[in-house]
Amino acid sequence: MTELRPLIDKIRRLLDSRAADPGGDVTEVEHTLTDGYAIALQLEGERVRIERRMAELARTVEHPE
């Protein structure tokens, strides 16, 4: 899974640079937004896999045969 720290650091740098130059290039902001969406989808997929595994384990505990 992709680490969140580099994305968060990049967002902070972008926010700082946008504060200094609000009319700056938006391409990097758009790419960062896309990266963030990709990470969010990875996290959502992991959440779904964990929930399924938990349900599977719960069924095993309830019916250990």
Side-chain angles (χ1 to χ4, degrees), residues 35-53:
D35 292 345
Y37 286 147
I39 291 172
L41 288 172
Q42 286 178 333
L43 290 171
E44 178 65 13
E46 184 66 17
R47 182 192 64 79
V48 169
R49 282 189 292 280
I50 290 169
E51 282 183 356
R52 286 180 182 157
R53 181 67 177 138

Side-chain angles (χ1 to χ4, degrees), residues 1-2 5 12 21 26 44 55 61 63:
M1 183 174 65
T2 304
R5 178 55 45 199
R12 283 199 174 110
D21 182 16
V26 298
E44 178 65 13
V61 169
H63 304 288

Side-chain angles (χ1 to χ4, degrees):
M1 183 174 65
T2 304
E3 291 290 324
L4 286 176
R5 178 55 45 199
L7 179 65
I8 292 168
D9 292 342
K10 186 174 182 180
I11 290 169
R12 283 199 174 110
R13 281 192 308 275
L14 285 170
L15 289 172
D16 290 345
S17 68
R18 299 287 290 177
D21 182 16
D25 184 22
V26 298
T27 303
E28 190 172 1
V29 173
E30 290 172 344
H31 287 286
T32 304
L33 183 60
T34 301
D35 292 345
Y37 286 147
I39 291 172
L41 288 172
Q42 286 178 333
L43 290 171
E44 178 65 13
E46 184 66 17
R47 182 192 64 79
V48 169
R49 282 189 292 280
I50 290 169
E51 282 183 356
R52 286 180 182 157
R53 181 67 177 138
M54 287 172 55
E56 181 182 305
L57 290 171
R59 283 190 299 276
T60 302
V61 169
E62 291 170 2
H63 304 288
E65 64 274 342

